[in-house]
Amino acid sequence: VAVRLFACRDARSTPEWAREHVRLFPPLTITGPFNPDLSPEFSDPLICLSDDFTREVNVLKPVRAGGTLIGDIDLMQSIVRNAGPYLAVFQTDKIAGDHAETRLWPMMEAIQAIKDKMPLDRHEARKQEIIFSDGNPMYISGPSIGNLQSKGFEFIRAEEVWIWQKGLLNQLKGRRGDFERLGLDKLFCNSQGGYAIDMGGADQCADWHGQYSSGRINEWFVPCLKCGR
């Protein structure tokens, strides 16, 4: 009798994996199965986020351009294909809670492989904190110092960094711990534009400009509907 002890790794790109597994729900404008052909600008960030040789991905985008959805789709594929301790930090605790309830939970419950990893103990599956059956935790929170100084995480996501208080991003990056030393860490920063300089102690700080400028920058443009250029 032949017994398979290990499943083969799904080597498809994240956009193609998501085409099969991810469903989108209201309040998103486009709902139903995720179609990467409708958002080709998502593909490269998603591919980089699942690339073993890329440690950090920054997305600078207009308001309501789908940057947060990139992070959501990457979270879904990470839970299924490359699980590890995960922390997502949003602008405030309320926004984090609302996002977890209205966006993340419907997406997770629509993917059978994630439902199979949900803990049997309901106390281990709170709205913003889940300890999956494989032992990996997921936390969704706001950017307070207390939320950023307690644990180490392999996957870290920062939303709307342009309005974070100065220094919080570096606090968050410090949460990678031993995962960074081993080259296993992944940081995803997603935000609209902000200030390139410190505005004299205002909440809007220069940290996002420094983070975005630290990597290799690629720019995407909308083609002209008339000439295609």
Side-chain angles (χ1 to χ4, degrees):
V1 177
V3 179
R4 174 178 290 180
L5 298 179
F6 300 96
C8 295
R9 181 179 181 181
D10 189 335
R12 288 177 295 174
S13 69
T14 296
E16 289 307 312
W17 179 90
R19 186 194 297 272
E20 178 181 344
H21 294 284
V22 172
R23 293 188 62 85
L24 308 180
F25 297 89
L28 290 172
T29 304
I30 299 176
T31 58
F34 173 68
N35 182 358
D37 299 332
L38 298 179
S39 303
E41 71 277 13
F42 289 7
S43 291
D44 279 357
L46 285 170
I47 289 170
C48 287
L49 283 167
S50 57
D51 173 41
D52 291 339
F53 298 98
T54 302
R55 301 269 65 83
E56 298 184 3
V57 176
N58 305 305
V59 171
L60 173 62
K61 45 76 180 180
V63 177
R64 297 195 60 79
T68 301
L69 182 56
I70 293 174
D72 292 346
I73 293 172
D74 178 63
L75 171 58
M76 299 302 120
Q77 73 87 23
S78 295
I79 296 172
V80 175
R81 304 197 296 175
N82 191 26
Y86 182 96
L87 172 65
V89 181
F90 286 76
Q91 305 94 299
T92 67
D93 284 316
K94 183 181 187 307
I95 291 175
D98 291 344
H99 189 83
E101 182 173 9
T102 63
R103 296 274 294 271
L104 295 181
W105 271 95
M107 292 176 72
M108 290 190 295
E109 291 177 336
I111 299 174
Q112 187 60 46
I114 296 181
K115 290 181 66 176
D116 292 342
K117 297 178 72 170
M118 288 293 183
L120 297 177
D121 185 347
R122 65 180 180 85
H123 297 293
E124 294 181 348
R126 295 180 290 273
K127 181 173 69 173
Q128 294 174 240
E129 301 178 9
I130 301 174
I131 301 176
F132 292 102
S133 60
D134 59 10
N136 286 304
M138 180 191 78
Y139 298 92
I140 312 296
S141 73
S144 69
I145 290 291
N147 290 336
L148 307 182
Q149 291 186 332
S150 57
K151 302 177 178 66
F153 295 92
E154 183 174 359
F155 304 102
I156 295 179
R157 171 181 169 188
E159 290 284 338
E160 296 300 346
V161 184
W162 79 283
I163 57 174
W164 287 24
Q165 292 183 355
K166 190 172 181 63
L168 278 178
L169 180 60
N170 283 333
Q171 290 275 355
L172 180 64
K173 293 169 74 172
R175 295 304 93 210
R176 294 177 288 187
D178 288 341
F179 294 108
E180 182 179 18
R181 180 175 59 83
L182 296 172
L184 299 174
D185 61 302
K186 188 75 69 173
L187 174 67
F188 173 53
C189 294
N190 169 60
S191 180
Q192 67 181 77
Y195 297 103
I197 60 175
D198 189 344
M199 299 299 288
D203 287 341
Q204 294 90 343
C205 67
D207 288 357
W208 172 224
H209 177 73
Q211 174 65 24
Y212 174 76
S213 302
S214 66
R216 184 174 60 194
I217 296 175
N218 300 273
E219 296 187 24
W220 279 259
F221 297 88
V222 178
C224 172
L225 295 177
K226 184 176 181 180
C227 70
R229 296 185 59 185

